[in-house]
Amino acid sequence: MKRICFFLLMLGLLSGCAAPAAQSEPAQAQFFSMDTVMSVRVYDGPKEDAVQAARQAVEELDGLLSRTNPDSQLSALNAHAGDGSPVALDGRVSELLTFAKSISQLLPGDFDITIAPVMDAWGFTTDQRQVPDPQTLAGALALVDSDKLNMDETASTARLEAAGMEVDLGAVAKGYAAGQAAAAIRETGATSALLDLGGNVTALGRKADGSAWQVGVKDPQDTAQTLCILSMEDQTASTSGGYERYFEEDGVVYHHIIDPETGYPADSGLLSVTVVSADHTLADALSTALFVAGEEEALDFWRSRTDFELVLCTSDGRVVVTQGLEEGMRPTGEDRGYTYEIVRR
Ligand code: AMP
Ligand code: MG
């Protein structure tokens, strides 16, 4: 329900920012895939074909990457954990697994796609959410180790070394899908589109009036409001926050982004992380990883690279924005007590 409210808010915001006279009516589709509500809007070219191409690209990936669909390639990989046999994979699945593994190597202790047994222990996979007993959690955590995900990208195969290991691509699948959908849209000849794949907003090209897209970043403490509006062109803004999926037990809130070192929901002093990048998969992976990492490590990592920018919302009410977004960012949360800081290299 929360996601749907935000989705409606986003549409309101975006249409509110568009120049109605210059902006032609989009072709659009709203659908449920990868366990979330998605929308695709195409504003030029063969609009209907482009929307269908994008939707097909996303749905094909959902069929390959879903952990809950027993017929997916990911389920085949998980089912063969520990039996020694490499599993043949579609090139897209192998590319995504290799990429996700490389993020684990860059940010060890923050990001690990073999987190699945821990997600299960907390009941996030089913709807039986619960605080796991320490023994169950320790057993699940012992299985988390993406060094034991063996990839052979040339042969397009993968193998999980230990029985009980499982991969969960929840942290990266939507970003990868955004990239594939954007490519599918461009192939039809369309150049102007907006995708919202559940927390990953992708802006293709520019609006029909030639201006950049305006995308709202949700206030993690009040998801009907925004923290800021970002100007975007050919980029994805991916947001991760504890508010997206959580449950409450004995007055304590437990959310779905897990610190792989403790097995507990990450508690790094951040309420949300938004990553803006022209690399859609990177944006998604890093929003999850840097939420676990916390402000200091996130900014150190940002300083070590040039391919993404950040909006961090801290639990003490600061909105920390990296330099590259300074010009295109409009603060909208001052009336709710937020203060804004620009971080420079
Ligand atoms: P996102 O909404 O992109 O931040 O992804 C959250 C999802 O990623 C969760 O629902 C899990 O499926 C998965 N996940 C949770 N914690 C981690 C982690 N530390 N590393 C990799 N994947 C994770
Ligand atoms: Mg993510």
Side-chain angles (χ1 to χ4, degrees):
M1 189 60 197
K2 277 207 167 123
R3 280 173 193 271
I4 294 169
C5 290
F6 172 63
F7 172 67
L8 294 175
L9 170 79
M10 277 274 315
L11 293 184
L13 262 177
L14 292 165
S15 57
C17 297
Q23 193 75 13
S24 66
E25 279 299 306
Q28 56 185 304
Q30 287 164 35
F31 53 99
F32 193 81
S33 188
M34 298 186 166
D35 208 22
T36 188
V37 177
M38 299 189 163
S39 79
V40 177
R41 306 169 118 206
V42 179
Y43 288 83
D44 72 343
K47 297 181 210 172
E48 291 293 347
D49 288 354
V51 167
Q52 288 320 317
R55 180 174 180 167
Q56 194 185 330
V58 174
E59 286 177 344
E60 256 179 56
L61 283 172
D62 190 25
L64 292 168
L65 302 175
S66 165
R67 191 156 86 87
T68 48
N69 170 1
D71 298 326
S72 75
Q73 289 199 351
L74 192 71
S75 294
L77 173 66
N78 290 338
H80 284 283
D83 75 4
S85 52
V87 175
L89 299 172
D90 179 280
R92 289 165 291 183
V93 182
S94 142
E95 179 184 47
L96 181 56
L97 287 170
T98 303
F99 173 82
K101 190 174 155 137
S102 76
I103 298 293
S104 301
Q105 285 159 346
L106 281 174
L107 291 161
D110 296 328
F111 187 85
D112 198 315
I113 53 167
T114 64
I115 199 78
V118 178
M119 296 308 291
D120 291 349
W122 284 93
F124 280 112
T125 327
T126 60
D127 262 336
Q128 314 256 298
R129 298 172 186 191
Q130 77 225 322
V131 179
D133 67 76
Q135 246 185 329
T136 307
L137 189 60
L141 204 51
L143 293 165
V144 178
D145 183 0
S146 57
D147 287 344
K148 292 187 181 150
L149 164 64
N150 295 320
M151 299 298 308
D152 182 340
E153 240 202 319
T154 319
S156 201
T157 61
R159 187 169 64 84
L160 286 164
E161 275 180 30
M165 281 184 79
E166 284 200 45
V167 168
D168 174 337
L169 290 169
V172 281
K174 292 187 290 265
Y176 187 73
Q180 295 280 308
I185 290 173
R186 280 209 193 85
E187 254 171 49
T188 68
T191 62
S192 175
L194 260 184
L195 318 178
D196 181 352
L197 310 188
N200 291 260
V201 180
T202 302
L204 234 81
R206 293 183 153 245
K207 293 198 285 188
D209 65 4
S211 62
W213 297 105
Q214 304 296 309
V215 172
V217 173
K218 251 192 279 193
D219 177 349
Q221 301 190 90
D222 178 357
T223 53
Q225 312 263 16
T226 57
L227 281 183
C228 62
I229 308 288
L230 300 175
S231 250
M232 286 175 48
E233 181 182 349
D234 289 322
Q235 287 164 316
T236 285
S238 174
T239 300
S240 291
Y243 61 85
E244 290 179 308
R245 204 165 283 203
Y246 61 87
F247 67 94
E248 220 177 297
E249 199 174 292
D250 298 330
V252 183
V253 172
Y254 299 95
H255 63 72
H256 70 133
I257 303 178
I258 302 294
D259 180 340
E261 293 200 319
T262 63
Y264 263 73
D267 183 16
S268 66
L270 294 177
L271 298 180
S272 71
V273 172
T274 300
V275 178
V276 179
S277 176
D279 181 335
H280 315 282
T281 320
L282 181 74
D284 195 3
L286 290 186
S287 68
T288 312
L290 299 180
F291 179 85
V292 179
E295 179 179 357
E296 202 182 318
E297 193 187 333
L299 292 175
D300 284 348
F301 189 66
W302 169 74
R303 286 193 174 93
S304 74
R305 299 176 61 123
T306 55
D307 51 358
F308 69 91
E309 300 294 334
L310 292 171
V311 179
L312 309 177
C313 182
T314 69
S315 52
D316 60 359
R318 290 174 299 117
V319 181
V320 178
V321 180
T322 55
Q323 193 177 347
L325 296 175
E326 185 174 13
E327 271 182 33
M329 189 276 300
R330 185 158 54 85
T332 51
E334 278 144 334
D335 59 335
R336 271 159 281 135
Y338 286 111
T339 57
Y340 293 76
E341 296 170 14
I342 304 290
V343 179
R344 302 186 191 283
R345 289 194 185 277

